[in-house]
Amino acid sequence: MEITRFAPSPNGSLHLGHAYAAIVAHDIAMARGGQFIVRLEDIDGARSRPELATEFAEDLAWLGLEWKAVPAQSTRLASYADAAERLRVDGLLYPCTCTRADIAAAATVHGPEGPVYPGTCRGRSVDPTGAAWRLDVAKAMELAGPLSWEDELASIQRARPDLLGDVVLVRKDAPASYHLAATLDDAADGVTLVTRGRDLFSATHVHRLLQHLLGLPVPRWHHHPLLLDESGEKLAKRRGSPSLADRRKTGEDGAALAQALREQRFPAGISLG
């Protein structure tokens, strides 16, 4: 059975970009006789607002979607700690105290997500107290050997986690980074098709490596286009993109909005890219 998922973070209200992502995942599952699940990615410290879980559910119901709720990330901390410890024991993680400013100043290579960490703390004696933990990607790739993954829209991809460098798996301020948590969660939830925006395409190289290292099942992926605003930027909470909750409270027809998004009929100033 095909299982897709929508995994929003409760650090701000949902907007049209979230609606489009949820509809893509929902409709693929329904068309294939599968299941659409919703999971909260709620381990972002003080930024996470538990009360938004109810708002999200009301928004998705307003759009006419049906889903199965699965446990939120905050209930899964032990699994993140266990996975990180396995990677430490295998000698694949190292502590890092570099700041973003340090990395920006020292980086000589830019990858898909910006400056690539130059490995400043790799091999150094670093006090792990309060440090982030990074994956030694070169060592992990040597251990894993060649890997590939399949995107429904972009076909078979050779895994190139080295393009992102030694990514953080355990943050200084959270029990896991997106890379580690999402990979473990999708496996635990039985997700067979990971649907998400094109902006996360490059992250999949790292996730495929983690699946191999941790002995996890390998899903397929579907990286869909993003909704863009009039400036060509993706819709984002931090830029105040209009929320679904506000639209819902003004009496807008959610089912009609969902159908318009399916047909790629977007409000003025919004495009697909």
Side-chain angles (χ1 to χ4, degrees):
M1 181 174 65
E2 194 82 281
I3 299 177
T4 66
R5 53 79 157 158
F6 175 58
S9 300
N11 54 15
S13 295
L14 302 183
H15 52 62
L16 285 178
H18 294 108
Y20 184 76
I23 289 167
V24 169
H26 172 273
D27 288 2
I28 288 175
M30 296 303 101
R32 299 177 186 179
Q35 186 175 71
F36 171 56
I37 66 175
V38 174
R39 178 181 71 233
L40 287 182
E41 297 192 338
D42 62 344
I43 57 172
D44 202 10
R47 296 181 62 203
S48 290
R49 296 159 51 193
E51 70 275 10
L52 286 178
T54 298
E55 179 180 292
F56 290 180
E58 291 173 348
D59 289 342
L60 296 177
W62 173 68
L63 293 170
L65 307 186
E66 297 180 359
W67 69 94
K68 174 186 176 182
V70 297
Q73 284 187 336
S74 57
T75 69
R76 307 181 186 218
L77 303 187
S79 71
Y80 307 151
D82 288 347
E85 184 58 24
R86 286 177 58 188
L87 296 173
R88 286 192 195 95
V89 169
D90 290 340
L92 298 176
L93 293 189
Y94 62 89
C96 173
T97 56
C98 294
T99 65
R100 290 184 180 180
D102 294 334
I103 296 168
T108 59
V109 176
H110 277 63
E113 298 183 352
V116 174
Y117 178 68
T120 307
C121 291
R122 189 190 316 121
R124 293 174 55 185
S125 178
V126 176
D127 183 353
T129 304
W133 287 83
R134 292 184 178 273
L135 177 67
D136 188 330
V137 169
K139 188 173 182 179
M141 289 179 66
E142 183 179 2
L143 178 65
L147 298 171
S148 63
W149 53 277
E150 180 184 358
D151 182 271
E152 287 196 331
L153 302 180
S155 71
I156 302 296
Q157 305 291 312
R158 181 166 67 96
R160 289 290 311 278
D162 54 301
L163 294 175
L164 284 77
D166 290 358
V167 295
V168 170
L169 294 189
V170 181
R171 291 166 43 185
K172 296 177 183 180
D173 59 349
S177 71
Y178 171 75
H179 295 300
L180 183 61
T183 301
L184 290 168
D185 294 344
D186 287 338
D189 293 334
V191 174
T192 61
L193 182 69
V194 178
T195 60
R196 56 191 180 198
R198 284 178 180 167
D199 55 327
L200 291 169
F201 189 94
S202 60
T204 308
H205 293 295
V206 174
H207 299 184
R208 179 65 188 90
L209 177 59
L210 289 176
Q211 288 158 355
H212 178 86
L213 297 174
L214 296 170
L216 303 175
V218 181
R220 299 178 335 280
W221 284 264
H222 180 109
H223 291 93
H224 57 74
L226 302 173
L227 293 194
L228 308 178
D229 63 20
E230 55 274 4
S231 67
E233 297 289 333
K234 72 173 183 176
L235 301 185
K237 298 171 185 175
R238 66 180 180 277
R239 287 199 299 275
S241 298
S243 72
L244 298 183
D246 287 343
R247 290 175 175 272
R248 173 166 50 82
K249 291 171 184 176
T250 62
E252 186 173 350
D253 187 329
L257 174 62
Q259 188 58 33
L261 293 177
R262 290 185 175 100
E263 297 172 2
Q264 298 186 12
R265 293 184 288 108
F266 308 119
I270 305 297
S271 62
L272 194 66

